[in-house]
Amino acid sequence: MATPDDVLMEPRRMRLTSLDTWRGLVIFLMVLDHVRDFFNRGALTSTPTEAGHTTLLLYLTRWVTHLCAPTFLFLAGVGIRLQYEKHGPTWNLSRFLAMRGLWLVFLDLVVISTLLSFGRVFFFIQVLYATGMSMLVLSALVWLRPRFVLVLGGAIVLLAPLAIRPLLHATGAPLLFRTFTVLPGPLPAGSGIVLYPFVPWLGVMCLGFGYGHIFRLPPPIRDRILAWTAASLLALFALLRGINGYGDLSPWKAGHTPLLNSESFMDVTKYPASPDYVLATLGISLLLFLGLERLRGPFIRILTTFGRTPLFTYITHFFVMHCLQIAVGLALGYPLRIFQSYIANASAAMFSGTVPEVERLGWGFPLWGTYIVWLLVVALVYPLSRWFEGVKQNRQDWWLRYL
């Protein structure tokens, strides 16, 4: 009779487990980024990757979390490709992608926006919206050849900045179209903000779909291809960034020290996802995968659990984090109102050019305190994710596919 270890050592299963672990790592880092937004002093009024106006540790803390969204979207594409590999394009696959895409958009508009802003209607449109809209488009693209989808994904990533130019001075309906597709911005009447216009992220998901079959190859061949791919992405990033023109909306500037030069060079634009940003983050993330799957131990088990319950963990961590912020804030004597609609009020203040009330009142911990809260949130969320992992393993209910 096979033991659990025997099952995990079967090559194909081991590769799929390593994808879960990879996804879990970026969830682990994602929690750090969101905890920093909610608990770090000055998080709402400063730019932690602005060279000359940050500390090295704060810069690295923010930059490493840049890896999260591109890896999520890339892995979503890989997962769709692995389903495609079983049966080819089918109406069931296409219908599932369309339904799941709509479900993710709904979750972002209703559930996540509520968890981020207790007590005020405010649409905080971010990665679930971008993922859902990309899945909707991919539900049609799965009928095309994967190689074509791969090329299309690369074209979208590299050419997305061109789509912004004719819409830069848009007003009315074209402005709203621009906000949801290519360039982030506020929604009318202070009703929300779009941080993840979906078109650049569609390109990343298409790359994952077109590339996903690589993860089915024997490990030596797969790893060699991944290493060459990572090196090529980083080389192209260095070339585009070195030209200092087209690849990013924020050109880098020479500083007085090598450190300032490096910080400015790597300060790539996430909102919207620029070609430089996607190339750098995916290249580094692929290298992390190559190192990650060689590790073992309890920490890897935690990451794998997060990676097997990504949507559940994503939703749960927002609830735990926001409730913890309110509890800690009240215990320290801060008024409840500044935490109830934390993101909504902060966004409104920043768009008006004022300092959010939560910052004026001195809320927030230094970076070391933020790291402690991060580990606390992980410790609180992990048992819930572990429980849900067991539910998914022991039950086959159709609705579990949507969580």
Side-chain angles (χ1 to χ4, degrees), residues 152-172:
L152 177 63
I156 292 173
V157 168
L158 293 175
L159 301 179
L162 296 179
I164 298 174
R165 294 180 181 178
L167 295 170
L168 278 178
H169 304 291
T171 58

Side-chain angles (χ1 to χ4, degrees), residues 237-294:
F237 158 71
L239 176 63
L240 280 180
R241 194 62 171 156
I243 294 173
N244 207 21
Y246 173 79
D248 200 280
L249 294 176
S250 177
W252 67 280
K253 301 175 182 178
H256 300 297
T257 67
L259 177 60
L260 290 176
N261 281 338
S262 300
E263 288 179 347
S264 182
F265 190 85
M266 296 303 296
D267 185 16
V268 287
T269 302
K270 179 179 181 180
Y271 308 112
S274 70
D276 285 354
Y277 169 84
V278 174
L279 292 169
T281 52
L282 281 185
I284 293 172
S285 192
L286 286 171
L287 293 178
L288 281 178
F289 170 78
L290 291 175
L292 188 66
E293 71 165 353
R294 290 166 172 76

Side-chain angles (χ1 to χ4, degrees), residues 109 113 122-125 175-177 179-180 184-195 351:
L109 290 172
S113 293
F122 187 84
F123 298 108
F124 197 68
I125 300 173
L175 172 60
L176 199 60
F177 173 80
T179 301
F180 279 98
L187 296 178
S191 59
I193 181 175
V194 178
L195 284 183
F351 285 130

Side-chain angles (χ1 to χ4, degrees), residues 44-78:
L44 301 177
T45 54
S46 63
T47 304
T49 55
E50 185 178 358
H53 299 276
T54 185
T55 65
L56 179 59
L57 182 57
L58 179 59
Y59 182 97
L60 294 175
T61 299
R62 176 62 180 121
W63 206 99
V64 73
T65 63
H66 277 342
L67 302 176
C68 299
T71 307
F72 281 144
L73 271 292
F74 183 80
L75 279 172
V78 170

